[in-house]
Amino acid sequence: MASSKVGFLALLVLGIVVMGSNVEHAEAQICPQFCEADLEYKICPPSKEKIRDICENCCTIGNSGCQLYRKDGSPICA
């Protein structure tokens, strides 16, 4: 009985080690929660539609490919 418990624990530990070695580390980023003051709209490819009434900043859009714009059409996060 004791040897089966030891064998089970050994397999469990081995499984955890093997599975843990395959985990990719995510690059997490902590973004401040505020709305860009000059933000009028955003455009996210492949669409060219202007999305309005949003609360975003340069950090929260991240690498999404979206771009934030002011009222005059100039980009905010360029």
Side-chain angles (χ1 to χ4, degrees):
M1 179 99 171
S3 63
S4 64
K5 286 183 180 179
V6 170
F8 174 75
L9 287 174
L11 284 174
L12 182 63
V13 169
L14 179 64
I16 291 171
V17 169
V18 169
M19 289 176 61
S21 66
N22 292 329
V23 174
E24 293 182 24
H25 298 284
E27 292 183 26
Q29 181 178 3
I30 299 173
C31 294
Q33 299 299 307
F34 70 92
C35 303
E36 268 311 324
D38 298 353
L39 179 60
E40 181 67 19
Y41 61 92
K42 76 176 177 179
I43 297 177
C44 297
S47 171
K48 295 188 187 232
E49 177 187 355
K50 293 179 181 179
I51 303 167
R52 299 180 188 277
D53 298 322
I54 55 171
C55 178
E56 300 263 7
N57 61 53
C58 296
C59 182
T60 58
I61 63 167
N63 295 329
S64 65
C66 297
Q67 179 61 54
L68 304 179
Y69 294 92
R70 296 179 182 89
K71 275 186 179 181
D72 66 3
S74 62
I76 294 176
C77 305

